[in-house]
Amino acid sequence: MTTTTVGKRVQDFLSTPQQLFINNDYVPAKSGKTFTTLNPATGEVLATVAEGDAEDIDIAVQAARKAFSDGPWATMSPSDRGRIMWKIGDLISEHLEEFAELETLDNGKPLSVALAADVPLAAELFRYMAGWATKIEGNTIGLSVPFLPDAQFHAYTLREPIGVVGQIIPWNFPLLMAAWKLGPALATGNTVVLKPAEQTPLAALFLAEIMAQAGLPPGVVNVVNGLGETAGAALASHPGVDKIAFTGSTEVGRLIAKGATGNLKKVSLELGGKSPNIVFADADIDAAVAGSAQAIFFNQGQCCVAGSRLYVEDDIFDEVVAGVAEIAKSMKIGDGLDSRTDLGPLVSDEQLRRVSGFVDSGREQGAEIVTGGHRDGDRGYFFQPTVISHTRPDMKVVEEEIFGPVVVVAAFKDLADAARLANDSPYGLGSGIWTKDISKAHKLAKQIRAGTVYVNCYNVFDAAMPFGGYKESGWGREMGHQALDSYTEVKSVCVRL
Ligand code: NDP
């Protein structure tokens, strides 16, 4: 038996029409509208979900405001808040299989990946952030006010929650992106309205139930599924929302920033990337080849930090490209529930067409498809792992985020050349360096303008390690204690003694 049979709990969840989650209650959308979410491995309907819009967002924002101002959340001790968050982490771990099955069915990713990465990382994020709930501290400050030379002061800072936070997340890691957003918001005492992506609405609803079970009071986290242009835009521009946090495309990130200008709400953005992955001739070649394949093909390439521009030092170019292409050819493409599957489907028909379109543009502009380059089969949204060579820097496939299992390769001469190529992009999210020369690695790590530099590894994520982008890859950081900064206001209290 190689294909996992979905458990009864998930089957029941899928066969129940899913609603919005407001005030710890499941409620229909005010309009009565629903939409369906599809299984990308088959294209068949997986579940029906309530479709919220501006009216539902408004109700959810009011619930979050009430919970922020007068609910038990507002007066709860940091320790009790941390305890609830830890419990959420533990409950996610207890429901590991159910969450993983939902992620595979809704997003398409291999079950083995959801079991090993998405779900444990989400649980760990809540536990890591639970620890911070009791460690949100200000400073005492010695003042030297020149126009009051004889006065004495006691000055200090308080770090306070920002208030009601709107969070809009994408479909590539539905549960994990919810965790990245909710963890720091809750640890610092904010309340939340979360809008998941329309392609993957299920994990956040399943999580909502678990959060209520863990003791999260009503209104602290509200989940409103719906479309970006309606529910998402309403959240970004809502005057009752104090901060908006977004993960997704740079294009929509710009809309979010614009939508936030009405009440000048705080904004944090985790956006796209076109991350360079650089292999030097002195690297452990086997590790670099395997690592470079994983850097791009992990999660079907639908990873904001994917190593999608592979740069290889001249001397070993052919060997590394052949090695990555060999791995691409050997990957088993299939339904994520099949334990033999290395590469699942893309998330949607739209994403399949988008990725195919990019590869076609590369062909038309004269690039060479070393391997892959086509849809796989005619059922579901599968795309072959693809290596593209003989590119020019001005080609779309080199410049733009493809968000599929497609890597472009090019050669470089030396460290300076590698640094120039790495930084030749408006993005600055991730990067990779493969070398045995530690001095070279550190020198280049300093020169690359990106939020993460992986050395002799790739796609390593940890709740304690900050993540985010330089340049057009975003504003602010997720994870690590840095994430807490964008969920707190600093208040200076100045007391004349
Ligand atoms: P989007 O940026 O459109 O979607 C991300 C989230 O934003 C979703 O919840 C979406 O809602 C919402 N959204 C869309 N439009 C608006 C809007 N006007 N106002 C407020 N919220 C909005 O990504 P796509 O799904 O369209 O993917 C397109 C490309 O974006 C990908 O090919 C990839 O290049 C990039 N991307 C990058 C991600 C990253 O992690 N950096 C993640 C996902 C995509 P809904 O989906 O419900 O319409």
Side-chain angles (χ1 to χ4, degrees), residues 2 4 39-41 96-97 99-120 172-174 297-302 331-347 382:
T2 52
T4 297
N39 177 348
L96 169 71
E97 279 84 12
F99 271 115
E101 286 167 9
L102 271 181
E103 292 296 68
T104 294
L105 290 168
D106 213 10
N107 165 278
K109 66 183 66 208
L111 186 66
S112 56
V113 171
L115 285 168
D118 295 62
V119 186
N172 50 347
F173 297 90
F297 300 136
F298 171 65
N299 212 42
Q300 295 70 244
Q302 300 168 139
M331 291 182 87
K332 165 101 178 61
I333 302 174
D335 189 320
L337 291 177
D338 186 332
S339 62
R340 295 164 303 182
T341 293
D342 299 312
L343 200 84
L346 298 178
V347 75
F382 298 93

Side-chain angles (χ1 to χ4, degrees), residues 169-171 195 198 226 228 232 246 248-249 271 304 351 354 401 403:
I169 54 172
W171 40 258
K195 196 211 79 71
E198 69 190 74
F246 169 79
S249 60
L271 306 176
C304 45
Q351 197 60 16
R354 206 180 132 85
E401 179 175 51
F403 227 60

Side-chain angles (χ1 to χ4, degrees), residues 35 168-173 177 195-199 225-236 246-253 255-256 270-273 302-305 347 350-351 354-355 358 401-404 427 429:
F35 67 103
I168 301 176
I169 54 172
W171 40 258
N172 50 347
F173 297 90
M177 290 301 102
K195 196 211 79 71
E198 69 190 74
Q199 298 85 349
N225 276 299
L227 309 186
E229 304 80 53
T230 51
L235 189 57
F246 169 79
T247 297
S249 60
T250 293
E251 187 190 346
V252 174
L255 295 176
I256 300 286
E270 199 262 274
L271 306 176
Q302 300 168 139
C303 193
C304 45
V305 78
V347 75
E350 186 185 353
Q351 197 60 16
R354 206 180 132 85
V355 172
F358 269 114
E401 179 175 51
I402 298 177
F403 227 60
Y427 295 113
L429 194 60

Side-chain angles (χ1 to χ4, degrees), residues 232-245 252-269 475:
L235 189 57
S237 63
H238 198 292
V241 171
D242 301 302
K243 176 203 161 75
I244 188 91
V252 174
R254 287 198 175 90
L255 295 176
I256 300 286
K258 275 194 199 130
T261 54
N263 67 336
L264 290 176
K265 56 177 67 68
K266 310 286 181 277
V267 180
S268 54
L269 304 169
W475 292 346

Side-chain angles (χ1 to χ4, degrees), residues 19 129 440:
Q19 301 192 306
M129 288 295 171
K440 191 188 280 178

